Structure formats: C-alpha cells, structure tokens
C-alpha cells in the first residue's frame, strides 16, 4: 500500500510540478472562467493582510466531502464495493449467508434485492465486514483491498480515481494557510487508510461515520475492538455536528457534491464574514459520469436548487475541469 | 479573554526565552535527574535520524491529560467550580432550585450533600449549566468566567494555574516534531476555550468528554444546540477509544496523573517500538498539593502501583520541578 500510494503522490507532483512552473497557475486543471475566479478570489480575499476580509490562518478551516467531491462515487460508493468484496471473501466461513439476506443478494450479484434491503441491509453488511477486529487489522484489510481492487469502467485502482482539480485545490488552499479536512459520510477508519498519501490530509484531519469501539485487555495486552454498532453518522445534519465535535471550529469554506452536504454548506456559509460554498456538479458522462437529482449515490437536488440563493458556486465538471483524473502511469 | 490569554502567552515566553538563551535548556523548570533524563532521552532517541528508535514526525503523537497534568485540579476540578458558579448565577431564573437537589446543595455551599448526589447529581449540574445554548454562546460564557474567576488559595485566575514545566515540555516536544494533543475527561468545548492561547494546542487537537449536539435551522439560520445528554465520556477506557476516534493513531507518548489515565498510558506504552508513559505525582503540599490514593479528584492508586512494572516515569513534583506555576504578573 505504502509503495502504491507513494507512486500516486509522485504522479500528482509530476503532473502539477512542470505545469506550475510554466504557468505559475496553482490550479492548472481548472479552466479559466467564473468558477475558478470565484474560488481564487475567495482565497485571495481572506489571505490579504490588512484587507477587509482577512482571516487569520488559524481560522482558515476548509472542509471537503469525499465521495463525489474528491473521488469517484459511481457506479457505487467505493466503500460499498469494498464491503461487497469482503462478503465474497468471507463467504466460505459463513455457509449460512447463501440463504440469508442481504448476503445472498451480494453473493448472487443481485443488486436489486440488495438495494431493497435498505439501511437495515447496509448496517448488516457493515457489521459483517467492518467489525470484529482491531483498528490496525481493519487498516491492513482495507490497505490490501485498495492495492488490488480496480474500478471496472476505468480499469484503475480506486485511489487513482481521485479528481486532479481537487488535488490541486487542496494543495493550493494549504499553501495559503488553510487547514484542509475531509468530512465524509464514509467510514472514518476506511478514509484514514489513504487520506494522507492520496490527499495530503493526515488521519486526525478526517471526520467520518464510525462504529462503536471497545477497549479490552487480551492476554495482558490493551486492544481496541471494532463493534457491529453504529456510533456516529456523519451525513446531512451529522456533518455540522461532526465538524463541531472533531474540529471545534466553523469552517470558512466547504466543498460538497450532494444533498448530504447541504447542512455543512449552509452552516459554513451562514457564518459571519466572507465564506465559500462549492458544489461539484457531475456533468461529464464521457470523462466521468453525469448525474444529480435521480442518482442513488450522491443525489444532488435541493442543494442544486438553493445554490444560487445561497451563493454557492456550482462547478460544472465538463466545462470547468480540463482534466478529471491524474494521468495513468 | 483574548487579551488575558495573550498576556499569559507573553509571560510564558518571557519566562522561557532568556532562560533558554542562557542555558540552552529547553526545560529550565525541570531539575536535572533521572526523570528529566528519561524524558529528554526518549525525545532524542525517536528524533535521531537513522537511529534504531527513529520515528517519523507524522507518527510523533503525544497525548496529555489536562486536570492535574497540565493545570490545577484541587480542591476541585476547575470545570466543576465553573458549574457551581453557573448554578449560582442562574439561580434567580430557577426558584425551584432552592428546594431541589443537587442545586440546593450548591446554593447552600453544602459540598457533602453535593458529593453524595454522585454521578447522577453531576450529570444534572452539567445539563443545567452546559446545555441549552449554541457552542458559540457556551464559549462566551466560559471565556467570561475564566476572565474573572479566581482560585481562592492562590488568588489567581485558573488559566494562570498551569504547570510551567509542562508548558515547557509541550513546546519542547512540538519543537521536536511532535503533535501535542489534550486527552481529558473534562468537557471538550470547555477545554477548547483556552487550549490554544494557554497551551498552544489548537481546538482540533483537543479530545474530551462531550454532550449531544443538535442541528436546527432557526429563522432560516443554521444553528447548533447543546443538549442535556451525555455523548461521550473521555475517561479511563474512554481515553484510548477517544484517541482512536479523534486522532486515529496510537500515541508514542502519553502524560497523565491519575487512574483515569491508566488505559491511555497502557495502550500507548504497549505499542511497538520506543514509548514513553509519564505520571505527574502531586507531592508538593507547600507549592501546590500532595495527594494520590485517597483523593476525590485525580485519584492515583493502581497506576502508581503498576508504574515500575510498566516502565512509566513518575514525576515527583516536589523534587523534579523547580517551578510549579508561571510567575504572577
């Protein structure tokens, strides 16, 4: 995993390095236009010392959703793909799954029945695949999977299917004294596996959903055990609550792509002073996907309607990004 | 509050600045001897590039308990003093408190009855004094209180009653590439009020106990509301669980002073590689307090017994510290 991720980081640097030197543009994958201007304008305003919109570096908190904002979320959340693969890998130890839903649906590749199992089914999948081991063991399992699993359409590893313009934006904001956080509905420990090598975001700057954890001493050795119970859901109202709990500050900039980010965007941009709310709108069926109001994953409806009135910037992926993914190696 | 805290920070710098220049000792308030040697030796080992015990900066995570480790916790936790003062301040709006426990005990200064109300009474006090407002309003209340409240014995503000040797240690570790975290049984939002100006620890690097928070939109404005329900207790087993959840990494060094820190110390020091566990033992009745096994606040019993076998360093406050608090201004 370490090697794979180092090579991803190197690619990102190779890509942005020469481009940066040539154009002095920290966001070369963003086309010129009002979207890029709005983002750069915001950063310049809050970093202009003595300016009316200046914000001290300690208060430059920027939060980023992950699925659909920093990386691919179609045809399903990557973490769900992980859970399905884990069910298949663990199936030999669980002969009863052949006749028990939602496991039978997973083993039969019957996505319709799986979807019908709803949140209850999802919680059962998470319990069976994400719990019953220590955080260290879970990291190992996730790391091994990310190293070999590939998205079928693009035939690339999931950690390669991150958005190059957003990688540049993360670096650009950090270079301007921002602290960048992931605030995702995805699992916090799943995200922490790759957030640092892929996004430059250390584990402690990841906020996500979590299951309960138990402390126990086994054979004299203190251990943590992941339990099959939901602890916190970092989605919708959960995002401002999670930000308040983990970060302890209201962000001045928030980036999302779905209605699950609505409350984070609203809470962020309704604070005093200059604020930035950005929605990544997936409009590019050719290079990535085009979806919004009717999507199972990353549904974007109310936030799209309210964006103009709220002053949120809507990124038109097709128009605003000249590159979507980092180049294949 | 800002002004007060800036002046505290300035004092700390004035104190350590010239001493540092004179002696090149980053820990001037620590007397020479095995305790200081053990701490400095650990830091030197893990920062020696190419050495057998080298730890990359990203993994240099150090966690510090607060009450009794970074600041005074006698004759009662400062946050409890805050809660008692709040009950008195709010009493005119709650005439029923005159006849309701544990409030009556607080208003009568009847500490014996208050203590007898136990955890249930404490939760009632927290609910009445820490909930029902936004995090921002709570910050204002805490800030105002810290600015005027004083400890009776020392006649100083609580934020002045921090341990100068520990301030030096925090700086020393950060100067050596450590990230320093507070991991306290105290309230996370109470701590975040002063952690940065007093300890140089930003809000996002504070782990503590918390109550539930609710997101709601009031008159079109997104708001967070603190609820009178316990969310997480960051004490004993809660400390490793909280560290795993908020920080996402096992520390390589942990500092505590009571049995409430036992599990954090044990989990930290039982990891692979070189580790450091430190207990501050309050042995100085003259300059501060002397207490351990029988104390209501900061009881130190099992951790003191097990320290030698576990390899935890026990700081003898009287012997190891030549200064306890920063000088009065």
């Amino acid at each position: 995993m370490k090697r794979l991720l180092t090579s991803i980081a190197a690619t990102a640097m190779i890509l942005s390095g020469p481009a940066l030197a040539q154009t002095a543009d920290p966001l070369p994958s963003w086309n010129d236009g009002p979207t890029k201007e709005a983002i750069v304008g915001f950063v310049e305003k809050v970093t202009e010392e003595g300016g009316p919109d200046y914000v001290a570096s300690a208060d430059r908190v920027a939060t980023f959703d992950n699925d659909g904002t920093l990386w691919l979320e179609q045809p399903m959340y990557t973490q769900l793909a992980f859970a399905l693969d884990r069910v298949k890998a663990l199936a030999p130890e669980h002969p009863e799954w052949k006749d028990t839903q939602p496991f039978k649906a997973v083993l039969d590749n019957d996505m319709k029945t799986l979807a019908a199992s709803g949140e209850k089914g999802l919680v059962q999948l998470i319990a069976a695949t994400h719990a019953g081991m220590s955080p260290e063991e879970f990291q190992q399992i996730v790391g091994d999977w990310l190293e070999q699993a590939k998205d079928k359409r693009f035939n690339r590893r999931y950690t390669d299917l991150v958005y190059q313009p957003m990688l540049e934006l993360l670096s650009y904001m950090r270079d301007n004294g921002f602290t960048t956080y992931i605030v995702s509905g995805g699992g916090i420990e799943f995200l922490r596996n790759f957030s640092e090598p892929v996004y430059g975001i250390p584990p402690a700057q990841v906020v996500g959903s979590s299951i309960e954890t138990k402390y126990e001493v086994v054979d004299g050795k203190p251990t943590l055990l992941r339990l099959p119970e939901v602890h916190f859901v970092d989605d919708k109202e959960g995002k401002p609550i999670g930000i308040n709990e983990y970060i302890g500050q209201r962000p001045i900039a928030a980036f999302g792509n779905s209605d699950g980010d609505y409350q984070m965007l609203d809470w962020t941009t309704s604070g005093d002073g200059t604020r930035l709310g950005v929605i990544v709108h997936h409009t590019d069926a050719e290079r990535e996907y085009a979806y919004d109001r009717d999507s199972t994953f990353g549904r974007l409806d109310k936030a799209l309607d309210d964006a103009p009135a709220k002053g949120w910037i809507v990124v038109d992926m097709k128009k605003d990004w000249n590159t979507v993914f980092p180049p294949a190696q």
Side-chain angles (χ1 to χ4, degrees), chain A:
Chain A
M1 190 62 190
K2 276 267 156 83
R3 209 169 17 145
L4 155 70
L5 295 175
T6 308
S7 85
I8 292 170
T11 311
M13 274 192 290
I14 287 160
L15 185 81
S16 63
L20 188 67
Q22 235 172 15
T23 66
D25 179 356
L27 302 173
S29 299
W30 292 74
N31 291 322
D32 290 335
T35 302
K36 185 172 179 171
E37 272 165 34
I39 294 171
V40 172
F42 167 80
V43 171
E44 288 178 348
K45 262 196 269 184
V46 300
T47 54
E48 191 202 336
E49 279 189 57
D53 299 306
Y54 181 73
V55 175
S57 176
D59 296 322
R60 286 180 216 152
V61 170
T63 54
F64 293 80
D65 168 60
N66 184 49
D67 295 302
T69 300
L70 296 180
W71 80 353
L72 195 76
E73 66 179 352
Q74 300 292 354
M76 71 175 80
Y77 296 135
T78 299
Q79 193 173 356
L80 180 56
F82 164 76
L84 302 189
D85 277 2
R86 282 303 290 165
V87 166
K88 288 170 189 167
L90 294 169
E93 299 164 38
H94 294 274
E96 74 281 9
W97 283 356
K98 271 185 281 187
D99 309 302
T100 323
Q101 294 298 4
F103 304 101
K104 181 173 166 16
V106 176
L107 299 176
D108 296 346
N109 289 314
D110 175 1
M111 290 302 114
K112 209 174 145 187
T113 303
L114 179 62
S117 76
E119 199 185 308
K120 194 185 152 216
L122 187 67
V123 169
Q124 284 176 288
L125 284 187
I126 297 289
T129 57
H130 286 62
M133 74 289 277
S134 72
E136 290 87 351
E137 287 163 336
F138 182 68
Q139 286 304 328
Q140 186 68 44
I141 293 166
V142 174
D144 289 349
W145 182 79
L146 283 173
E147 193 150 3
Q148 53 79 21
K150 284 189 177 181
D151 172 82
K152 287 195 180 56
R153 173 175 164 194
F154 295 101
N155 191 33
R156 294 183 69 177
R157 290 190 181 104
Y158 291 101
T159 45
D160 284 337
L161 296 169
V162 293
Y163 305 129
Q164 177 63 26
M166 297 304 288
L167 296 181
E168 293 167 8
L169 190 55
L170 286 168
S171 294
Y172 170 62
M173 296 193 78
R174 287 194 293 262
D175 288 347
N176 279 282
F178 280 81
T179 307
T180 54
Y181 291 87
I182 291 174
V183 177
S184 169
I188 190 166
E189 299 208 43
F190 184 83
L191 287 154
R192 281 172 170 163
N193 187 276
F194 59 91
S195 63
E196 179 129 42
V198 173
Y199 302 131
I201 294 180
Q205 288 164 20
V206 176
V207 181
S209 298
S210 54
I211 56 179
E212 294 285 346
T213 305
K214 185 184 163 189
Y215 177 86
E216 53 181 16
V217 179
V218 182
D219 299 331
K221 230 179 144 56
T223 328
L224 294 177
L225 178 67
R226 290 166 58 79
L227 301 181
E229 290 155 41
V230 174
H231 170 64
F232 179 63
V233 178
D234 190 51
D235 197 31
K236 300 189 177 75
E237 301 77 18
K239 290 205 173 192
I241 292 169
I243 292 168
N244 182 63
E245 182 183 337
Y246 287 77
I247 307 176
Q249 286 181 277
R250 197 194 294 220
I252 64 165
F255 302 79
N257 75 299
S258 79
D259 284 359
D261 303 309
Y262 191 103
Q263 289 82 356
M264 173 171 77
L265 288 162
D266 204 14
W267 186 59
T268 299
T269 58
S270 63
D272 295 333
T274 305
R275 304 275 167 156
L276 179 70
V278 175
I279 293 172
V280 175
H281 190 193
H282 295 260
T283 51
D284 196 329
E286 202 175 315
R287 294 186 300 173
E288 202 238 13
Y289 291 92
Y291 61 96
D292 43 42
R293 299 181 194 276
D294 300 317
S295 181
T296 306
F297 302 99
R299 183 167 180 263
L300 174 65
D301 187 36
K302 187 169 158 44
L304 195 58
D305 286 340
D306 292 358
K310 298 277 186 188
W312 300 336
I313 310 297
V314 178
V315 175
D316 182 332
M317 184 180 273
K318 191 170 182 174
K319 217 176 79 187
D320 290 322
W321 290 359
N322 60 55
T323 306
V324 174
F325 302 119
Q329 293 184 266

